Amino acid sequence: MTVLNTTTFNGRNNFYVIIPARLASTRLPNKPLADLAGKPMIVRVAERAKLSGAELVVVACDDVSIVEACQQYGITAYLTRTDHQSGTDRIAEVAKMLGLPDDAVIVNVQGDEPLIEPALITATAAQINNGVQMSTAAHPITSAEEAFNPNVVKVVLDKLGRALYFSRATIPWNRDAFAASKEVMPLDYRVFRHIGLYAYTQAFLQKYSTLEVAPLEQCEVLEQLRVLWNGYPIAVYVTPTMPLGGVDTPEDLLRVQQHYLQHGIN
């Protein structure tokens, strides 16, 4: 397999985007092929990713129908094994197929994020440096309802902007303010919502699946805790604004379809 050439990106190699896509979905069957203003969702995601300045954008999928849908719009897609336990494992397989060098930066853009901001992809990739081989993103939470919602994953950062911990719990816990009220966010309280966007070096991506599964990961049902538990840092890019939501349910799909109509996207 020929190794792809890389170009400079903030003093290091450029980044590549691999989008994992799985045809089966409990809440929304055939989700990658869902229609968004005349194009499959997976194509819309790839088109957004291409605006990030990535050296290459490809799809890693488990079904030939996704490959065919991508090919119709000039998107490269690779068929992977069907037994992968996660999207991370799926993109690792494709990254190996591509023959990327160990220090190449690979961004995992979820296949159900058709409204993702290209600049967020670029900024997350830029967090990778010699001391950090994995990065992700977050944004400030301003709603008490979200702060106390266990479906909203929170992340606490150190002074270098690296993750200390991810949790479904409300962290950090503002002891005095929350003793008085849990209905209003304290003025001096900073809490961040984790965004499910990841970047890795090729070497770390291939190592990821070999890491020991963490008890914390199993308790919180948050796979990224495996990385911290095994002693590896995760850099976190903080964006000031909340990204537009992805598509998990039929209701989400309708919301995104309406967004496309309202903004005349074709």
Side-chain angles (χ1 to χ4, degrees):
M1 180 67 67
T2 302
V3 176
L4 299 177
N5 291 325
T6 54
T7 55
T8 57
F9 171 64
N10 287 355
R12 55 168 300 112
N13 288 339
N14 198 358
F15 67 98
Y16 305 82
V17 172
I18 304 179
I19 306 168
R22 187 171 63 93
L23 193 64
S25 173
T26 304
R27 289 182 289 182
L28 188 59
N30 299 326
K31 182 164 62 170
L33 303 179
D35 181 79
L36 289 178
K39 293 182 181 179
M41 184 189 306
I42 190 64
V43 171
R44 292 294 190 185
V45 176
E47 289 176 341
R48 294 294 287 172
K50 284 187 173 183
L51 297 176
S52 68
E55 179 80 2
L56 182 71
V57 175
V58 300
V59 171
C61 60
D62 67 345
D63 194 275
V64 69
S65 63
I66 301 176
V67 175
E68 293 172 347
C70 289
Q71 288 176 339
Q72 290 179 21
Y73 295 92
I75 305 296
T76 301
Y78 290 86
L79 198 60
T80 68
R81 300 191 340 241
T82 58
D83 60 347
H84 286 305
Q85 296 299 307
S86 69
T88 308
D89 294 332
R90 196 176 305 283
I91 70 168
E93 180 185 348
V94 169
K96 186 175 290 187
M97 289 182 190
L98 292 171
L100 298 176
D102 284 348
D103 64 347
V105 176
I106 299 158
V107 184
N108 178 352
V109 176
Q110 298 300 312
D112 56 6
E113 295 284 347
L115 300 179
I116 190 167
E117 285 294 333
L120 183 60
I121 299 172
T122 309
T124 301
Q127 304 307 302
I128 301 293
N129 56 51
N130 291 332
V132 178
Q133 299 182 73
M134 178 175 173
S135 63
T136 188
H139 71 85
I141 293 175
T142 58
S143 159
E145 180 181 359
E146 284 200 337
F148 288 95
N149 184 347
N151 293 318
V152 174
V153 178
K154 274 72 68 173
V155 58
V156 173
L157 311 179
D158 67 12
K159 67 178 183 180
L160 298 177
R162 299 177 181 180
L164 287 171
Y165 190 65
F166 297 86
S167 182
R168 298 181 183 279
T170 307
I171 56 172
W173 181 262
N174 194 315
R175 187 194 64 173
D176 295 338
F178 293 155
S181 173
K182 296 184 182 67
E183 305 298 323
V184 179
M185 293 282 281
L187 292 177
D188 59 346
Y189 181 56
R190 286 174 61 80
V191 58
F192 297 102
R193 178 178 188 163
H194 177 234
I195 300 169
L197 175 69
Y198 299 98
Y200 328 78
T201 62
Q202 162 75 321
F204 189 75
L205 176 60
Q206 299 303 326
K207 179 188 293 184
Y208 190 99
S209 63
T210 70
L211 296 178
E212 183 180 352
V213 175
L216 294 174
E217 166 192 359
Q218 295 175 314
C219 177
E220 295 260 18
V221 194
L222 296 174
E223 186 181 334
Q224 63 270 33
L225 287 172
R226 183 185 312 178
V227 177
L228 299 182
W229 190 78
N230 280 281
Y232 296 95
I234 301 176
V236 182
Y237 171 74
V238 177
T239 177
T241 56
M242 181 174 69
L244 296 172
V247 177
D248 290 318
T249 66
E251 292 75 21
D252 291 334
L253 179 60
L254 179 60
R255 168 180 52 81
V256 175
Q257 288 172 332
Q258 290 174 340
H259 175 89
Y260 272 67
L261 288 173
Q262 291 169 359
H263 291 80
I265 301 173
N266 51 43

